Coordinates of all heavy atoms in Angstrom, one line a residue:
M50 N 0.8 -1.2 0.0 CA 0.0 0.0 0.0 C 0.9 1.2 0.0 O 1.9 1.3 0.7 CB -0.9 0.0 1.2 CG -1.7 1.2 1.4 SD -3.3 0.9 2.1 CE -4.0 2.4 1.9
S51 N 0.5 2.2 -0.8 CA 1.2 3.5 -0.9 C 1.2 4.3 0.4 O 0.3 4.2 1.2 CB 0.6 4.3 -2.0 OG 1.3 5.5 -2.2
A52 N 2.3 5.1 0.6 CA 2.4 5.9 1.7 C 1.3 7.0 1.7 O 1.0 7.6 2.7 CB 3.8 6.5 1.8
I53 N 0.8 7.4 0.5 CA -0.2 8.4 0.4 C -1.4 7.8 -0.4 O -1.1 7.0 -1.3 CB 0.2 9.7 -0.2 CG1 0.8 9.4 -1.6 CG2 1.3 10.4 0.6 CD1 1.0 10.7 -2.4
P54 N -2.6 8.1 -0.1 CA -3.7 7.5 -0.8 C -4.0 8.3 -2.1 O -4.5 9.4 -2.0 CB -4.9 7.6 0.2 CG -4.5 8.8 1.0 CD -3.0 8.9 1.1
Y55 N -3.7 7.8 -3.2 CA -4.1 8.4 -4.5 C -4.4 7.3 -5.5 O -3.9 6.2 -5.4 CB -3.0 9.4 -5.0 CG -1.7 8.7 -5.4 CD1 -1.5 8.1 -6.6 CD2 -0.7 8.5 -4.4 CE1 -0.4 7.5 -7.0 CE2 0.5 7.8 -4.8 CZ 0.6 7.3 -6.0 OH 1.8 6.7 -6.4
A56 N -5.3 7.7 -6.4 CA -5.7 6.7 -7.4 C -5.2 7.2 -8.7 O -5.5 8.4 -9.1 CB -7.2 6.6 -7.4
L57 N -4.4 6.5 -9.4 CA -3.9 6.9 -10.7 C -4.9 6.6 -11.8 O -5.6 5.6 -11.7 CB -2.6 6.2 -11.0 CG -1.4 6.5 -10.1 CD1 -0.2 5.6 -10.4 CD2 -1.0 7.9 -10.2
T58 N -4.9 7.4 -12.8 CA -5.8 7.1 -14.0 C -4.8 6.9 -15.2 O -3.6 7.0 -15.1 CB -6.7 8.3 -14.3 OG1 -6.0 9.4 -14.7 CG2 -7.5 8.7 -13.0
D59 N -5.4 6.6 -16.3 CA -4.6 6.4 -17.5 C -4.0 7.7 -18.1 O -3.1 7.7 -18.9 CB -5.4 5.7 -18.6 CG -5.7 4.3 -18.2 OD1 -5.0 3.7 -17.4 OD2 -6.7 3.7 -18.8
T60 N -4.6 8.9 -17.7 CA -4.2 10.1 -18.4 C -3.9 11.3 -17.4 O -3.3 12.2 -17.9 CB -5.3 10.6 -19.3 OG1 -6.5 10.8 -18.5 CG2 -5.6 9.6 -20.4
V61 N -4.2 11.2 -16.2 CA -4.1 12.3 -15.3 C -2.7 12.3 -14.6 O -2.3 11.3 -14.0 CB -5.2 12.4 -14.2 CG1 -5.0 13.5 -13.2 CG2 -6.6 12.5 -14.9
L62 N -2.0 13.5 -14.7 CA -0.8 13.7 -13.9 C -1.2 14.3 -12.6 O -2.1 15.2 -12.6 CB 0.2 14.6 -14.7 CG 0.6 14.2 -16.1 CD1 1.4 15.3 -16.7 CD2 1.3 12.9 -16.0
V63 N -0.6 13.9 -11.5 CA -0.9 14.4 -10.2 C 0.3 15.3 -9.7 O 1.4 14.7 -9.5 CB -1.2 13.3 -9.2 CG1 -1.5 13.9 -7.8 CG2 -2.4 12.5 -9.7
R64 N 0.1 16.6 -9.6 CA 1.2 17.4 -9.0 C 1.2 17.3 -7.5 O 0.2 17.1 -6.9 CB 0.9 18.9 -9.5 CG 1.0 19.1 -10.9 CD 0.7 20.5 -11.3 NE -0.7 20.8 -10.9 CZ -1.1 22.1 -10.6 NH1 -0.3 23.1 -10.7 NH2 -2.4 22.3 -10.2
F65 N 2.4 17.6 -7.0 CA 2.6 17.5 -5.5 C 3.8 18.4 -5.1 O 4.5 18.9 -6.0 CB 2.9 16.1 -5.1 CG 4.3 15.6 -5.5 CD1 5.4 15.7 -4.6 CD2 4.5 15.0 -6.7 CE1 6.6 15.3 -5.0 CE2 5.7 14.5 -7.1 CZ 6.8 14.7 -6.2
H66 N 3.9 18.6 -3.8 CA 5.1 19.3 -3.3 C 5.4 18.6 -2.0 O 4.6 17.9 -1.3 CB 5.0 20.8 -3.1 CG 3.8 21.3 -2.4 ND1 3.7 21.4 -1.1 CD2 2.6 21.7 -2.9 CE1 2.6 21.9 -0.7 NE2 1.8 22.1 -1.8
L67 N 6.7 18.6 -1.6 CA 7.2 18.1 -0.4 C 7.2 19.2 0.7 O 7.8 20.3 0.4 CB 8.6 17.5 -0.5 CG 8.8 16.3 -1.4 CD1 10.2 15.8 -1.2 CD2 7.8 15.2 -1.0
D68 N 6.7 19.0 1.8 CA 6.7 19.9 2.9 C 7.5 19.3 4.1 O 7.2 18.2 4.5 CB 5.3 20.3 3.4 CG 4.5 21.0 2.3 OD1 5.1 22.0 1.8 OD2 3.4 20.6 1.9
R69 N 8.5 20.0 4.5 CA 9.4 19.5 5.5 C 9.3 20.4 6.8 O 9.5 21.6 6.8 CB 10.8 19.5 5.0 CG 11.8 18.9 6.0 CD 13.1 18.5 5.3 NE 12.9 17.3 4.5 CZ 13.6 17.0 3.4 NH1 14.7 17.8 3.1 NH2 13.4 16.0 2.7
S70 N 9.0 19.7 7.9 CA 8.9 20.4 9.2 C 10.2 20.6 9.9 O 10.4 21.5 10.7 CB 7.9 19.7 10.1 OG 8.3 18.4 10.4
E71 N 11.1 19.7 9.6 CA 12.5 19.7 10.3 C 13.5 19.2 9.2 O 13.2 18.2 8.5 CB 12.5 18.8 11.5 CG 13.8 18.7 12.2 CD 13.7 17.8 13.4 OE1 12.7 17.2 13.7 OE2 14.8 17.7 14.1
D72 N 14.6 19.9 9.1 CA 15.6 19.5 8.2 C 16.7 18.8 8.9 O 17.6 19.4 9.6 CB 16.2 20.8 7.5 CG 17.3 20.4 6.5 OD1 17.5 19.2 6.2 OD2 17.9 21.4 5.9
L73 N 16.7 17.5 8.9 CA 17.6 16.7 9.7 C 19.1 16.7 9.1 O 20.0 16.5 9.9 CB 17.2 15.2 9.7 CG 15.8 15.0 10.4 CD1 15.4 13.5 10.4 CD2 15.8 15.5 11.8
T74 N 19.2 17.1 7.8 CA 20.6 17.1 7.2 C 21.2 18.5 7.1 O 22.4 18.6 6.9 CB 20.5 16.5 5.8 OG1 19.7 17.3 5.0 CG2 20.0 15.0 5.9
G75 N 20.3 19.5 7.3 CA 20.8 20.9 7.2 C 21.1 21.3 5.7 O 21.7 22.3 5.5
V76 N 20.5 20.6 4.8 CA 20.7 20.9 3.3 C 19.5 21.6 2.7 O 19.7 22.6 2.0 CB 21.0 19.6 2.6 CG1 21.2 19.8 1.1 CG2 22.3 18.9 3.1
S77 N 18.3 21.0 2.9 CA 17.2 21.5 2.1 C 16.3 22.5 2.8 O 15.4 23.1 2.2 CB 16.4 20.3 1.6 OG 16.0 19.5 2.7
G78 N 16.5 22.7 4.1 CA 15.6 23.6 4.8 C 14.3 23.1 5.2 O 14.0 21.8 5.1
T79 N 13.4 24.0 5.6 CA 12.0 23.6 6.0 C 11.0 24.3 5.1 O 11.4 25.2 4.3 CB 11.8 23.9 7.5 OG1 12.0 25.3 7.6 CG2 12.7 23.1 8.4
G80 N 9.8 23.9 5.3 CA 8.7 24.4 4.4 C 8.6 23.6 3.2 O 8.9 22.4 3.2
T81 N 8.1 24.2 2.1 CA 8.0 23.5 0.8 C 9.4 23.5 0.2 O 10.0 24.5 -0.2 CB 7.0 24.3 -0.1 OG1 5.8 24.3 0.5 CG2 6.9 23.5 -1.5
V82 N 10.0 22.3 0.1 CA 11.4 22.1 -0.4 C 11.5 21.5 -1.8 O 12.6 21.6 -2.3 CB 12.2 21.2 0.6 CG1 12.3 21.9 2.0 CG2 11.5 19.9 0.8
A83 N 10.4 21.0 -2.3 CA 10.5 20.4 -3.6 C 9.1 20.2 -4.2 O 8.1 20.3 -3.5 CB 11.2 19.0 -3.6
G84 N 9.0 20.1 -5.5 CA 7.7 19.9 -6.2 C 7.9 18.9 -7.3 O 9.0 18.7 -7.8
G85 N 6.8 18.4 -7.7 CA 6.9 17.4 -8.8 C 5.6 16.9 -9.3 O 4.5 17.5 -9.1
V86 N 5.7 15.8 -10.1 CA 4.5 15.2 -10.7 C 4.6 13.7 -10.6 O 5.7 13.1 -10.7 CB 4.4 15.7 -12.2 CG1 5.5 15.3 -13.0 CG2 3.0 15.3 -12.8
I87 N 3.4 13.1 -10.4 CA 3.3 11.7 -10.4 C 2.6 11.3 -11.8 O 1.5 11.8 -12.1 CB 2.4 11.1 -9.3 CG1 3.0 11.6 -7.9 CG2 2.4 9.6 -9.3 CD1 2.1 11.3 -6.8
F88 N 3.3 10.5 -12.6 CA 2.8 10.1 -13.9 C 1.8 9.0 -13.7 O 1.8 8.3 -12.7 CB 3.9 9.7 -14.8 CG 4.8 10.8 -15.2 CD1 5.9 11.1 -14.5 CD2 4.5 11.6 -16.3 CE1 6.8 12.2 -14.8 CE2 5.3 12.7 -16.7 CZ 6.5 13.0 -15.9
P89 N 0.9 8.8 -14.7 CA -0.1 7.7 -14.6 C 0.4 6.3 -14.3 O -0.3 5.6 -13.6 CB -0.8 7.7 -16.0 CG -0.6 9.1 -16.4 CD 0.7 9.5 -16.0
D90 N 1.7 6.0 -14.6 CA 2.2 4.7 -14.3 C 2.9 4.7 -12.9 O 3.5 3.7 -12.5 CB 3.2 4.2 -15.4 CG 4.5 5.0 -15.4 OD1 4.6 6.1 -14.7 OD2 5.4 4.7 -16.2
G91 N 2.8 5.8 -12.2 CA 3.4 5.8 -10.8 C 4.8 6.4 -10.8 O 5.3 6.8 -9.7
T92 N 5.5 6.6 -11.9 CA 6.8 7.2 -11.9 C 6.7 8.7 -11.5 O 5.7 9.4 -11.7 CB 7.3 7.2 -13.4 OG1 7.4 5.9 -13.8 CG2 8.7 7.8 -13.5
V93 N 7.7 9.2 -10.8 CA 7.7 10.5 -10.2 C 8.9 11.3 -10.8 O 10.0 10.8 -10.8 CB 7.8 10.4 -8.7 CG1 8.0 11.8 -8.1 CG2 6.6 9.7 -8.1
A94 N 8.6 12.6 -11.2 CA 9.7 13.5 -11.5 C 9.6 14.6 -10.5 O 8.5 15.1 -10.2 CB 9.5 14.1 -12.9
M95 N 10.7 15.0 -9.9 CA 10.7 15.9 -8.8 C 11.9 16.9 -8.9 O 13.0 16.6 -9.3 CB 10.9 15.2 -7.4 CG 10.6 16.1 -6.2 SD 10.6 15.1 -4.7 CE 12.3 14.8 -4.5
R96 N 11.6 18.2 -8.6 CA 12.6 19.3 -8.7 C 12.7 19.9 -7.3 O 11.7 20.3 -6.6 CB 12.1 20.3 -9.6 CG 13.0 21.5 -9.8 CD 14.1 21.3 -10.7 NE 14.9 22.5 -10.9 CZ 16.1 22.5 -11.3 NH1 16.7 21.4 -11.6 NH2 16.7 23.6 -11.5
W97 N 14.0 20.0 -6.8 CA 14.3 20.6 -5.5 C 14.3 22.1 -5.6 O 14.8 22.6 -6.6 CB 15.6 20.1 -5.0 CG 15.5 18.7 -4.5 CD1 15.9 17.6 -5.3 CD2 15.1 18.2 -3.3 NE1 15.6 16.4 -4.6 CE2 15.1 16.8 -3.3 CE3 14.6 18.8 -2.2 CZ2 14.7 16.0 -2.3 CZ3 14.2 18.0 -1.1 CH2 14.3 16.6 -1.1
F98 N 13.8 22.8 -4.6 CA 13.7 24.2 -4.6 C 14.8 24.8 -3.7 O 14.7 25.8 -3.1 CB 12.4 24.7 -4.0 CG 11.2 24.2 -4.8 CD1 10.0 24.0 -4.2 CD2 11.2 24.1 -6.2 CE1 8.9 23.6 -4.9 CE2 10.1 23.6 -6.9 CZ 8.9 23.4 -6.2
T99 N 15.9 24.1 -3.6 CA 17.0 24.5 -2.7 C 18.0 25.4 -3.4 O 17.9 25.6 -4.6 CB 17.8 23.2 -2.2 OG1 18.3 22.5 -3.3 CG2 16.8 22.3 -1.4
G100 N 19.0 25.8 -2.7 CA 20.1 26.7 -3.3 C 20.8 26.0 -4.5 O 21.1 26.7 -5.5
T101 N 21.0 24.7 -4.4 CA 21.6 23.9 -5.5 C 20.5 23.0 -6.0 O 20.3 21.9 -5.5 CB 22.8 23.1 -5.0 OG1 23.7 24.0 -4.3 CG2 23.4 22.4 -6.1
S102 N 19.6 23.5 -6.9 CA 18.5 22.8 -7.4 C 18.9 21.6 -8.2 O 20.0 21.6 -8.9 CB 17.6 23.7 -8.2 OG 17.1 24.7 -7.4
S103 N 18.1 20.6 -8.2 CA 18.3 19.4 -9.0 C 17.0 18.8 -9.3 O 16.0 19.0 -8.7 CB 19.2 18.4 -8.3 OG 18.6 17.9 -7.1
T104 N 17.0 18.0 -10.4 CA 15.8 17.3 -10.8 C 16.1 15.8 -10.8 O 17.2 15.4 -11.2 CB 15.3 17.7 -12.2 OG1 15.1 19.1 -12.2 CG2 14.1 17.0 -12.6
A105 N 15.1 15.0 -10.3 CA 15.4 13.5 -10.2 C 14.1 12.8 -10.6 O 13.0 13.3 -10.5 CB 15.7 13.2 -8.8
I106 N 14.3 11.6 -11.0 CA 13.2 10.7 -11.4 C 13.2 9.5 -10.5 O 14.3 8.9 -10.1 CB 13.4 10.1 -12.9 CG1 13.6 11.3 -13.8 CG2 12.2 9.2 -13.3 CD1 12.4 12.2 -14.0
Y107 N 12.0 9.1 -10.0 CA 11.9 8.0 -9.0 C 10.9 7.0 -9.6 O 10.0 7.4 -10.3 CB 11.5 8.5 -7.7 CG 12.4 9.5 -7.1 CD1 12.3 10.8 -7.3 CD2 13.4 9.1 -6.2 CE1 13.2 11.8 -6.8 CE2 14.3 10.0 -5.7 CZ 14.2 11.3 -6.0 OH 15.0 12.2 -5.4
D108 N 10.9 5.8 -9.1 CA 10.0 4.7 -9.6 C 8.6 5.0 -8.9 O 7.6 4.5 -9.5 CB 10.4 3.3 -9.2 CG 11.6 2.9 -10.1 OD1 11.7 3.4 -11.2 OD2 12.3 2.0 -9.7
S109 N 8.5 5.6 -7.8 CA 7.2 5.8 -7.1 C 7.4 6.9 -6.0 O 8.5 7.2 -5.6 CB 6.8 4.5 -6.4 OG 7.6 4.2 -5.3
I110 N 6.2 7.4 -5.6 CA 6.2 8.3 -4.5 C 6.7 7.7 -3.2 O 7.2 8.4 -2.3 CB 4.8 9.0 -4.4 CG1 4.9 10.3 -3.6 CG2 3.8 8.0 -3.8 CD1 5.6 11.4 -4.2
D111 N 6.4 6.4 -3.1 CA 6.9 5.7 -1.9 C 8.4 5.7 -1.8 O 9.0 5.9 -0.8 CB 6.4 4.2 -1.9 CG 4.9 4.2 -1.7 OD1 4.4 5.0 -1.0 OD2 4.3 3.3 -2.3
D112 N 9.1 5.6 -3.0 CA 10.6 5.7 -3.0 C 11.0 7.1 -2.6 O 12.0 7.2 -1.9 CB 11.1 5.3 -4.4 CG 11.0 3.9 -4.8 OD1 10.7 3.1 -3.9 OD2 11.2 3.5 -6.0
V113 N 10.3 8.1 -3.1 CA 10.7 9.5 -2.7 C 10.6 9.6 -1.2 O 11.6 10.2 -0.6 CB 9.7 10.5 -3.3 CG1 9.9 11.9 -2.8 CG2 9.8 10.5 -4.9
L114 N 9.6 9.1 -0.5 CA 9.5 9.2 0.9 C 10.5 8.4 1.6 O 11.0 8.7 2.7 CB 8.1 8.9 1.4 CG 7.0 10.0 1.1 CD1 5.6 9.6 1.4 CD2 7.4 11.3 1.8
E115 N 10.8 7.2 1.1 CA 11.8 6.4 1.7 C 13.2 7.1 1.7 O 13.9 7.0 2.7 CB 11.9 5.0 0.9 CG 12.9 4.1 1.4 CD 12.6 3.5 2.8 OE1 11.4 3.4 3.1 OE2 13.5 3.1 3.5
I116 N 13.5 7.8 0.6 CA 14.8 8.4 0.5 C 14.8 9.8 1.2 O 15.8 10.1 1.9 CB 15.2 8.6 -1.0 CG1 15.3 7.2 -1.6 CG2 16.4 9.4 -1.1 CD1 15.3 7.2 -3.1
H117 N 13.7 10.6 1.1 CA 13.7 12.0 1.5 C 12.7 12.3 2.6 O 12.6 13.4 3.0 CB 13.4 12.9 0.3 CG 14.4 12.7 -0.8 ND1 15.7 13.0 -0.7 CD2 14.2 12.2 -2.1 CE1 16.3 12.8 -1.9 NE2 15.4 12.3 -2.7
G118 N 12.1 11.3 3.2 CA 11.1 11.5 4.2 C 11.5 11.9 5.5 O 10.7 12.5 6.3
H119 N 12.8 11.8 5.8 CA 13.4 12.2 7.1 C 12.5 11.7 8.3 O 12.2 12.4 9.2 CB 13.5 13.7 7.2 CG 14.6 14.3 6.3 ND1 15.3 15.3 6.7 CD2 15.1 13.9 5.1 CE1 16.2 15.6 5.7 NE2 16.1 14.7 4.8
N120 N 12.2 10.4 8.2 CA 11.5 9.7 9.3 C 10.2 10.5 9.7 O 9.9 10.6 10.9 CB 12.4 9.5 10.5 CG 13.5 8.6 10.1 OD1 13.3 7.6 9.5 ND2 14.7 8.9 10.6
G121 N 9.4 10.9 8.7 CA 8.2 11.6 9.0 C 8.2 13.1 9.0 O 7.2 13.7 9.2
A122 N 9.4 13.7 9.0 CA 9.5 15.1 9.0 C 9.2 15.7 7.6 O 9.0 17.0 7.5 CB 11.0 15.5 9.3
T123 N 9.0 14.9 6.6 CA 8.6 15.4 5.3 C 7.3 14.7 4.9 O 7.1 13.5 5.0 CB 9.7 15.0 4.2 OG1 10.9 15.6 4.7 CG2 9.3 15.6 2.9
V124 N 6.3 15.5 4.4 CA 5.1 15.0 3.9 C 4.8 15.4 2.5 O 5.3 16.4 2.0 CB 3.9 15.4 4.8 CG1 4.0 14.9 6.2 CG2 3.7 16.9 4.8
V125 N 4.1 14.5 1.7 CA 3.7 14.8 0.4 C 2.4 15.5 0.4 O 1.4 15.0 1.0 CB 3.6 13.5 -0.5 CG1 3.1 13.8 -1.9 CG2 5.0 12.8 -0.5
T126 N 2.3 16.7 -0.2 CA 1.0 17.4 -0.3 C 0.6 17.3 -1.8 O 1.3 17.8 -2.7 CB 1.1 18.9 0.1 OG1 1.6 18.9 1.4 CG2 -0.2 19.6 0.0
L127 N -0.6 16.6 -2.0 CA -1.1 16.5 -3.4 C -1.8 17.8 -3.8 O -2.6 18.3 -3.0 CB -2.0 15.3 -3.5 CG -1.5 13.9 -3.2 CD1 -2.6 12.9 -3.3 CD2 -0.3 13.6 -4.1
I128 N -1.5 18.3 -5.0 CA -2.2 19.5 -5.5 C -3.4 19.1 -6.3 O -4.5 19.7 -6.2 CB -1.2 20.3 -6.4 CG1 0.0 20.7 -5.5 CG2 -1.9 21.5 -7.0 CD1 1.2 21.3 -6.3
D129 N -3.3 18.1 -7.1 CA -4.4 17.7 -8.0 C -5.1 16.5 -7.5 O -5.1 15.4 -8.1 CB -3.8 17.4 -9.4 CG -3.1 18.6 -10.0 OD1 -3.7 19.6 -10.0 OD2 -2.0 18.4 -10.5
A130 N -5.7 16.6 -6.3 CA -6.4 15.4 -5.8 C -7.6 16.0 -5.0 O -7.5 17.0 -4.4 CB -5.5 14.6 -4.9
D131 N -8.7 15.2 -5.0 CA -9.8 15.6 -4.2 C -9.6 15.2 -2.7 O -8.6 14.7 -2.4 CB -11.1 15.1 -4.8 CG -11.2 13.6 -4.7 OD1 -10.5 12.9 -4.0 OD2 -12.1 13.0 -5.4
A132 N -10.6 15.4 -1.9 CA -10.5 15.2 -0.5 C -10.3 13.7 -0.1 O -9.8 13.4 0.9 CB -11.7 15.7 0.2
R133 N -10.6 12.8 -1.1 CA -10.4 11.4 -0.8 C -9.1 10.9 -1.4 O -8.8 9.7 -1.5 CB -11.6 10.6 -1.4 CG -12.9 10.8 -0.6 CD -14.0 10.0 -1.1 NE -14.3 10.4 -2.5 CZ -15.2 11.2 -2.9 NH1 -15.9 11.9 -2.0 NH2 -15.4 11.5 -4.1
G134 N -8.3 11.8 -2.0 CA -7.0 11.4 -2.5 C -7.0 11.0 -3.9 O -6.1 10.5 -4.5
R135 N -8.2 11.1 -4.6 CA -8.3 10.7 -6.0 C -7.8 11.8 -6.9 O -8.0 13.0 -6.6 CB -9.7 10.3 -6.3 CG -10.2 9.1 -5.6 CD -11.7 8.8 -5.9 NE -12.5 10.0 -5.7 CZ -13.8 10.1 -5.8 NH1 -14.5 9.0 -6.0 NH2 -14.5 11.2 -5.6
A136 N -7.2 11.4 -8.0 CA -6.7 12.4 -9.0 C -8.0 13.1 -9.5 O -9.0 12.5 -9.8 CB -6.0 11.7 -10.1
S137 N -7.9 14.4 -9.6 CA -9.0 15.2 -10.0 C -8.8 15.7 -11.5 O -7.8 15.6 -12.0 CB -9.3 16.4 -9.1 OG -8.1 17.2 -9.0

């Protein structure tokens, strides 16, 4: 089961941003630190909003949180989803 409840469709891209309450590494800061899109097949493209910006591709949003979640200090905020987490 995914770390966030969302339903992918065949055509809808779901935008998101990462919000971080605590920066455990001292690199990316707090607040909204990155943004991206979840493609219909679950692949994620993400861009960091840090001083040294970078763009990365991940197999899933779960992988993003596994790598960058900081043990719960980072959450994914879906932009294109309704209240039940479905792509809108």
Side-chain angles (χ1 to χ4, degrees):
M50 174 147 188
S51 177
I53 60 169
Y55 64 89
L57 297 175
T58 69
D59 291 336
T60 58
V61 176
L62 303 177
V63 178
R64 295 176 301 155
F65 70 91
H66 50 86
L67 293 186
D68 294 307
R69 184 164 287 156
S70 60
E71 181 180 0
D72 182 7
L73 301 179
T74 64
V76 175
S77 56
T79 59
T81 300
V82 296
V86 63
I87 305 168
F88 291 92
D90 69 354
T92 303
V93 172
M95 190 174 75
R96 178 83 174 156
W97 288 96
F98 303 145
T99 59
T101 305
S102 296
S103 62
T104 302
I106 307 295
Y107 301 88
D108 287 337
S109 70
I110 197 70
D111 294 324
D112 289 350
V113 171
L114 285 174
E115 179 70 26
I116 297 166
H117 302 294
H119 288 214
N120 297 316
T123 303
V124 296
V125 174
T126 302
L127 299 178
I128 297 167
D129 299 312
D131 66 17
R133 293 181 299 266
R135 295 180 305 192
S137 57

